[in-house]
Amino acid sequence: YIPKSASFQEIAGAVRAAAAGSVVLHPSLAGRLARSGGAGDDLSGHEIAILKLLSAGAAYPEVGARLFLSERTVRRHMNVIFAKLGCTSQAQAVAEGMRRGVLD
């Protein structure tokens, strides 16, 4: 994850690192994540974004299109979300995300 305000060099470096299989998190966002507390800390930013779109009624293909992910990747994220939240369905995951305050 990198902010829109990142320089061209930061973006290019992030793309290269992501293409090599690394996880990219801009330092300004890392600090923000470290300072945030709460029940949703175990979910990644992508996982929260996916849950938010699903809670708004988006289907997996639409979620993928909006987040520039394949539908298959969205489904993989959902499997991780299910495991982290102890859920077995999309509806349960959205409800649990709301209960934890992740989807506010």
Side-chain angles (χ1 to χ4, degrees):
Y1 297 98
I2 56 174
K4 291 179 182 179
S5 61
S7 70
F8 177 79
Q9 290 80 13
E10 289 173 315
I11 294 169
V15 169
R16 282 191 291 278
S22 296
V23 174
V24 179
L25 183 62
H26 193 269
S28 66
L29 298 176
R32 192 178 311 162
L33 286 174
R35 287 188 300 275
S36 71
D41 285 348
D42 53 342
L43 295 177
S44 72
H46 252 131
E47 293 162 353
I48 292 170
I50 289 168
L51 273 182
K52 285 183 178 182
L53 288 169
L54 292 172
S55 72
Y60 287 175
E62 184 180 355
V63 171
R66 287 189 180 187
L67 298 177
F68 305 102
L69 302 170
S70 71
E71 182 179 348
R72 183 176 176 183
T73 300
V74 173
R75 289 184 183 281
R76 276 191 251 144
H77 277 294
M78 284 306 297
N79 287 330
V80 173
I81 291 168
F82 291 159
K84 286 182 177 181
L85 298 181
C87 300
T88 58
S89 73
Q90 176 181 323
Q92 285 179 334
V94 169
E96 183 64 17
M98 288 179 171
R99 187 188 71 74
R100 293 183 182 205
V102 174
L103 303 179
D104 293 338

